[in-house]
Amino acid sequence: DAMRPLLQAALPDCAEGRATIERVRITKARRSSSVRRNPHPLTLNYELVLRERGGAGRMLDVYAKLHRDGASATSPQAAGAIRIA
């Protein structure tokens, strides 16, 4: 539930008021301890349940990477990413 307000503000449908997040659940978490082979130590898969303004519900899967020491800002994958914090 700690991620709900951050995701609510970051996802376009939610931020623009077309949907709200009803539930957030982590479906997979993976930790890597190798700095050289894997610069992002934690990857997460979230399952979101969204409720659209018209009442229809839908599921959305979100993939997240956490980088070491602020490396996410300079990561090549960050170009199309939604930055949360």
Side-chain angles (χ1 to χ4, degrees):
D1 265 354
M3 287 299 294
R4 186 187 310 214
L6 295 172
L7 291 166
Q8 185 78 33
L11 296 172
D13 282 350
C14 297
E16 294 170 8
R18 292 189 297 268
T20 57
I21 298 173
E22 288 190 340
R23 187 180 73 206
V24 177
R25 183 171 74 102
I26 295 174
T27 57
K28 183 179 177 183
R30 180 178 176 274
R31 182 182 179 279
S32 173
S33 59
S34 171
V35 175
R36 191 188 54 156
R37 286 182 297 125
N38 197 355
H40 40 82
L42 188 61
T43 56
L44 300 167
N45 284 50
Y46 289 101
E47 178 185 87
L48 308 179
V49 175
L50 300 179
R51 179 70 51 197
E52 295 179 352
R53 198 180 329 172
R58 66 181 167 118
M59 303 271 290
L60 179 66
D61 290 320
V62 177
Y63 176 75
K65 288 184 184 181
L66 284 72
H67 293 258
R68 299 179 199 278
D69 302 324
S72 58
T74 59
S75 169
Q77 296 94 351
I82 297 172
R83 299 230 25 221
I84 294 195

